[in-house]
Amino acid sequence: MLRTEEITLNMGPQHPSTHGVFHVVLKMDHEVITEARPICGYLHRGIEKLAEARTYTQFIPYTDRLDYLAAMLNNTGYVQAVEKLMEIEVPERAEYIRVICCELSRIASHLIAVGTYSVDIGGITGFMYCLRDRERIMDLFEMVCGSRLTLSYMRIGGVAEDLPDEFIPALCQFLDEMPSRLDEYDGLITGNEIFQARTKHVGLLDPGVAINYGISGPNLRASGVFWDLRKNRPYSVYDRFDFEVPLGKRGDCFDRFTCRIKEMRQSLKIIRQAVEQLPEGPVMAKVPKVLKPPAGDVYHEIEGAKGILGYYVVSDGSNKPYRIHVRRPSFINLGFLNELCKGWKIADVVAILGSLDIVLGEVDC
Amino acid sequence: MFGQGLLKGLQITLQELFTKKVTVQYPEESLPLAPRFHGEFVLDVEQCIACSLCANACPNKVIEIETAKLDKKRVLTGYMMRLQYCLFCGLCVEACNKGAIRFSQKFEMAKYFRDQIPLILYKGEPPVQEEQGNTGITAGEAEGTEV
Amino acid sequence: MPGSSIPSTVIDGLKDKFPAIEVSENLTITVPEAELLSFMRELRDNPDYDFNFLTNLTAVDYPDNFTVIYNLVSFKYGYTLMAKVNLGKDEPAVSSLTSLWGSADWQEREVYDLFGIIFTGRHNLTRILLEDGFAGYPLRKDFQWVGGRE
Ligand code: SF4
Ligand code: SF4
């Protein structure tokens, strides 16, 4: 009988596959994981506390720093929560611009997810291709709001500025070229046999368990659960677009990956429709210069890139929020990591963690 | 057949070899920036009425304005931005209704030493009435910002 | 802005079963601490509501009390519900919901970490974002931070 001993291995805090400063303590029996204890908080900046010392508008730039890969979505979730609290009606054009920007942000975020996942599994080329195309979205954002990553484009009551003239032609060109790029990823990454061997039937996530653990977004849909707030509880103008919600079957790493690629196609479809329907008009509602929402609280959820992004805003009637809490999808999705890794080999931990698509700015808040 | 996917991937990368390059040799060449680009700040001193709207709009207390009273009028004697705290969110630019503080296209703002980071956009005597025509100091000329 | 979107018949049914709950104008339900676990179990297990998704769990430090907020979603019916529990200022403690929803685990730890609210009946209630030796609970209003500037 061989003598076996449980060994402990630290993955991170500095490890390329954790996509940031994140630490997992792995307990292993030979190569099999018996426990994966995630340790987060290395990037905790106390954003919820900082919010209490800032005005409602001043908090917008901080939402960028949560999920910095999809800043538009973070902006939107927050401003919509405050608008709900103040009962502000947003002009149509602003709603459409928001949809366009949000879906672009979703594509940008999924491109990182797809690209880095390819690196995690060992294919550097795929990453380069994804970043090349993401760069074009960054250029589009630069046209719209002057920033590339931390956008701060949404305002309470609308958006900061109208779209510049050169934006729509550039966007249309992007929309025309992107589908063939997605085919490239499919050929380069999805169809690769080594990639499939590493991801198929790995890290299975049961739909019932996923719901119980609050997992949302592509991770939940990959397990076959139809839950996309854009469809199930349409906010903004999402009920006016025709799109599908891609679902997975097995709930393994491969499904989570392909769900994201399929979602990008749907996002392109939404953007195309939004561009066609884009109405003229103002982009900002009439809001007072100093925002003082009535005392009360509101909880608002949107479908973020990583899952359900919720903002809970409490107002005491002053110009500063009394409390802001963010339901960060990455944080809650990560809560299941231990269960998900148990019983898999150490090499699979990288595949599983990558397939969850976390962003540490959001986990640690 | 196993390996077909790999070959497909190789075919895609081979095709890519013959497409146009997307990268540029950075310091020699650079890509065009959008007109709205959030680069380094410039202050139009003549326009600025020292109202501090920009400083109050800033979420991170980046802007420090010094003023003096001149014939019952408030005038600007200093405008300093602690850029190490700046989020480049543009709320200050949006708040200024004189259009005095603006973004420029300059993005190479890295400094060798921390004490060089604060950006002094204006420092000095309050602009006297008749001299007002030539007090426009831009970022590069202001003291303390050279590398 | 309603805190919950559920038909009033459901609310009435809940009121009959739990006379101690209070329903505010905007349909936010305030539950006494003692009944929280049974109330939540009913919400989860009764097929008429089927609140299977605990989406958000957080807390607020009000001047007179702590409030823990639960946001539930029913995938089957599309209902949402906001429930609150008010706790005293000294040694706030509330029953843990980890036995009902796995998603409560990390969120309760976060609330414990930042507010110092104790969740009873669960294991591994440790700090999650801050380091273990951190003194104080930063999201309490009386927390004084050191450092920073000015
Ligand atoms: S860009 Fe934002 S952070 Fe920077 S000075 Fe202006 S308001 Fe302040
Ligand atoms: S830059 Fe504009 S907002 Fe700031 S003090 Fe001058 S005039 Fe006022």
Side-chain angles (χ1 to χ4, degrees):
Chain A
M1 193 53 196
L2 247 112
R3 193 179 71 89
T4 64
E5 193 179 335
E6 200 177 62
I7 61 165
T8 308
L9 187 77
N10 285 299
M11 185 166 129
Q14 301 289 344
H15 190 280
S17 75
T18 57
H19 305 185
V21 234
F22 175 58
H23 185 182
V24 195
V25 183
L26 300 170
K27 288 228 171 66
M28 289 178 303
D29 177 15
H30 287 93
E31 259 198 272
V32 179
I33 309 291
T34 55
E35 190 196 331
R37 188 160 58 90
I39 300 174
C40 53
Y42 290 93
L43 206 58
H44 178 67
R45 293 144 295 175
I47 285 185
E48 291 177 2
K49 186 77 182 173
L50 291 175
E52 293 170 12
R54 275 154 185 83
T55 65
Y56 284 91
T57 310
Q58 283 176 350
F59 184 61
I60 296 172
Y62 289 85
T63 61
D64 293 337
R65 275 111 185 131
L66 291 167
D67 179 359
Y68 41 76
L69 300 174
M72 285 290 186
L73 287 155
N74 286 268
N75 284 181
T76 311
Y78 170 65
V79 297
Q80 283 184 347
V82 180
E83 281 157 8
K84 207 162 152 188
L85 189 63
M86 298 183 70
E87 289 167 6
I88 295 173
E89 190 80 35
V90 179
E92 284 259 298
R93 185 174 171 84
E95 292 279 21
Y96 277 89
I97 293 176
R98 279 184 184 177
V99 167
I100 294 173
C101 290
C102 282
E103 294 307 317
L104 280 175
S105 236
R106 192 185 312 276
I107 297 175
S109 166
H110 283 356
L111 280 175
I112 287 281
V114 166
T116 51
Y117 197 49
S118 157
V119 178
D120 288 346
I121 304 296
I124 310 258
T125 324
F127 178 67
M128 297 298 168
Y129 280 49
C130 291
L131 260 85
R132 172 196 64 191
D133 299 326
R134 180 171 173 272
E135 196 60 25
R136 303 191 51 191
I137 302 181
M138 301 287 104
D139 288 342
L140 288 170
F141 284 157
E142 193 183 310
M143 272 182 213
V144 178
C145 62
S147 302
R148 300 172 68 82
L149 195 68
T150 51
L151 307 156
S152 307
Y153 179 56
M154 306 297 167
R155 292 289 180 277
I156 294 155
V159 296
E161 271 179 290
D162 204 348
L163 299 173
D165 295 336
E166 67 270 26
F167 178 78
I168 295 289
L171 176 66
C172 287
Q173 201 193 353
F174 171 78
L175 290 178
D176 290 340
E177 287 170 21
M178 200 57 198
S180 64
R181 297 296 168 84
L182 290 170
D183 295 339
E184 269 187 10
Y185 310 149
D186 273 339
L188 203 58
I189 313 172
T190 323
N192 187 306
E193 280 90 356
I194 300 169
F195 178 81
Q196 292 188 2
R198 285 285 310 276
T199 53
K200 272 189 181 169
H201 307 285
V202 171
L204 298 175
L205 182 56
D206 175 75
V209 176
I211 293 172
N212 190 274
Y213 271 84
I215 292 170
S216 53
N219 296 331
L220 179 64
R221 293 192 283 272
S223 296
V225 182
F226 186 98
W227 191 256
D228 185 325
L229 291 183
R230 292 173 296 171
K231 275 271 190 236
N232 296 69
R233 208 191 301 152
Y235 54 93
S236 190
V237 288
Y238 274 108
D239 48 350
R240 301 185 197 168
F241 306 118
D242 163 41
F243 65 101
E244 283 150 35
V245 178
L247 296 181
K249 280 194 201 77
R250 289 181 301 264
D252 56 3
C253 292
F254 185 73
D255 276 355
R256 289 194 277 276
F257 172 85
T258 46
C259 250
R260 294 203 173 87
I261 294 207
K262 287 179 196 150
E263 262 180 35
M264 283 196 262
R265 291 188 201 276
Q266 298 303 323
S267 291
L268 290 172
K269 209 167 144 187
I270 297 174
I271 299 172
R272 200 175 281 282
Q273 294 171 44
V275 171
E276 277 162 17
Q277 299 174 18
L278 186 68
E280 292 296 323
V283 293
M284 192 71 190
K286 292 240 177 312
V287 288
K289 266 239 143 45
V290 180
L291 294 168
K292 285 189 179 170
D297 60 347
V298 70
Y299 180 66
H300 180 70
E301 281 181 340
I302 67 164
E303 185 68 37
K306 314 278 191 289
I308 294 171
L309 176 69
Y311 280 87
Y312 180 64
V313 182
V314 183
S315 161
D316 59 353
S318 74
N319 63 348
K320 288 179 182 160
Y322 188 77
R323 163 121 173 84
I324 287 180
H325 171 74
V326 193
R327 182 225 195 260
R328 289 111 52 208
S330 294
F331 177 73
I332 295 169
N333 290 352
L334 198 57
F336 193 59
L337 185 72
N338 181 17
E339 249 46 56
L340 205 51
C341 287
K342 257 182 212 165
W344 296 96
K345 297 260 167 60
I346 179 156
D348 297 327
V349 174
V350 175
I352 292 171
L353 185 62
S355 75
L356 286 179
D357 183 27
I358 53 163
V359 53
L360 268 300
E362 193 173 58
V363 172
D364 294 343
C365 187
Chain B
M1 188 191 81
F2 187 84
Q4 235 168 12
L6 295 173
L7 288 175
K8 178 107 191 290
L10 280 175
Q11 193 193 340
I12 290 169
T13 46
L14 191 69
Q15 273 170 5
E16 193 61 31
L17 202 60
F18 300 104
T19 56
K20 206 171 139 262
K21 273 212 188 73
V22 291
T23 48
V24 296
Q25 285 297 333
Y26 161 56
E28 288 84 34
E29 280 173 75
S30 56
L31 292 166
L33 294 171
R36 289 182 185 173
F37 182 73
H38 288 188
E40 197 170 75
F41 296 90
V42 285
L43 178 73
D44 188 342
V45 179
E46 286 159 48
Q47 293 293 321
C48 179
I49 52 165
C51 62
S52 293
L53 279 179
C54 50
N56 292 336
C58 177
N60 235 358
K61 302 200 191 88
V62 171
I63 304 173
E64 196 174 295
I65 293 177
E66 284 165 32
T67 58
K69 271 256 163 36
L70 196 79
D71 316 330
K72 285 184 270 163
K73 251 182 77 188
R74 206 157 34 140
V75 289
L76 188 75
T77 58
Y79 195 108
M80 196 258 285
M81 300 182 85
R82 278 165 294 208
L83 281 192
Q84 67 266 44
Y85 302 122
C86 182
L87 307 167
F88 289 87
C89 60
L91 290 177
C92 51
V93 176
E94 218 175 279
C96 178
N97 37 31
K98 291 282 167 194
I101 181 90
R102 283 194 315 271
F103 284 112
S104 72
Q105 300 261 315
K106 179 170 176 258
F107 60 88
E108 287 149 323
M109 283 179 275
K111 298 281 190 290
Y112 281 99
F113 299 101
R114 193 176 162 84
D115 53 1
Q116 294 172 338
I117 299 173
L119 174 69
I120 297 164
L121 288 176
Y122 186 73
K123 181 93 201 145
E125 289 303 304
V128 193
Q129 234 70 23
E130 54 267 27
E131 272 180 36
Q132 242 179 12
N134 51 9
T135 41
I137 292 184
T138 50
E141 293 160 328
E143 53 181 305
T145 53
E146 294 94 351
V147 175
Chain C
M1 18 69 238
S4 318
S5 66
I6 27 176
S8 51
T9 48
V10 175
I11 297 242
D12 293 340
L14 279 172
K15 263 194 202 150
D16 291 343
K17 277 191 193 130
F18 297 91
I21 64 170
E22 289 165 32
V23 183
S24 75
E25 265 172 70
N26 65 359
L27 299 184
T28 305
I29 299 176
T30 309
V31 191
E33 200 282 311
E35 282 189 21
L36 179 74
L37 205 57
S38 52
F39 177 72
M40 289 294 185
R41 179 165 286 127
E42 165 76 13
L43 284 181
R44 188 191 70 159
D45 293 339
N46 192 324
D48 293 344
Y49 340 119
D50 202 20
F51 282 102
N52 51 357
F53 195 75
L54 173 70
T55 167
N56 181 44
L57 192 167
T58 187
V60 183
D61 178 8
Y62 286 110
D64 310 322
N65 58 286
F66 284 103
T67 304
V68 183
I69 290 112
Y70 302 91
N71 289 98
L72 304 175
V73 181
S74 153
F75 278 12
K76 193 160 145 202
Y77 301 104
Y79 300 160
T80 65
L81 183 140
M82 192 196 279
K84 292 183 179 178
V85 180
N86 293 327
L87 305 173
K89 274 287 198 186
D90 324 308
E91 295 183 22
V94 64
S95 339
S96 164
L97 297 185
T98 41
S99 54
L100 301 176
W101 290 285
S103 56
D105 183 5
W106 273 36
Q107 302 197 67
E108 283 178 357
R109 279 178 68 190
E110 190 193 5
V111 170
Y112 164 74
D113 191 357
L114 303 174
F115 283 94
I117 294 172
I118 309 286
F119 291 87
T120 52
R122 57 162 290 166
H123 70 287
N124 191 23
L125 187 69
T126 50
R127 289 196 180 265
I128 187 163
L129 294 173
L130 304 169
E131 72 262 40
D132 291 338
F134 193 87
Y137 301 104
L139 280 181
R140 290 192 180 182
K141 289 283 174 182
D142 56 8
F143 179 80
Q144 294 292 331
W145 75 59
V146 284
R149 53 201 183 93
E150 285 112 58

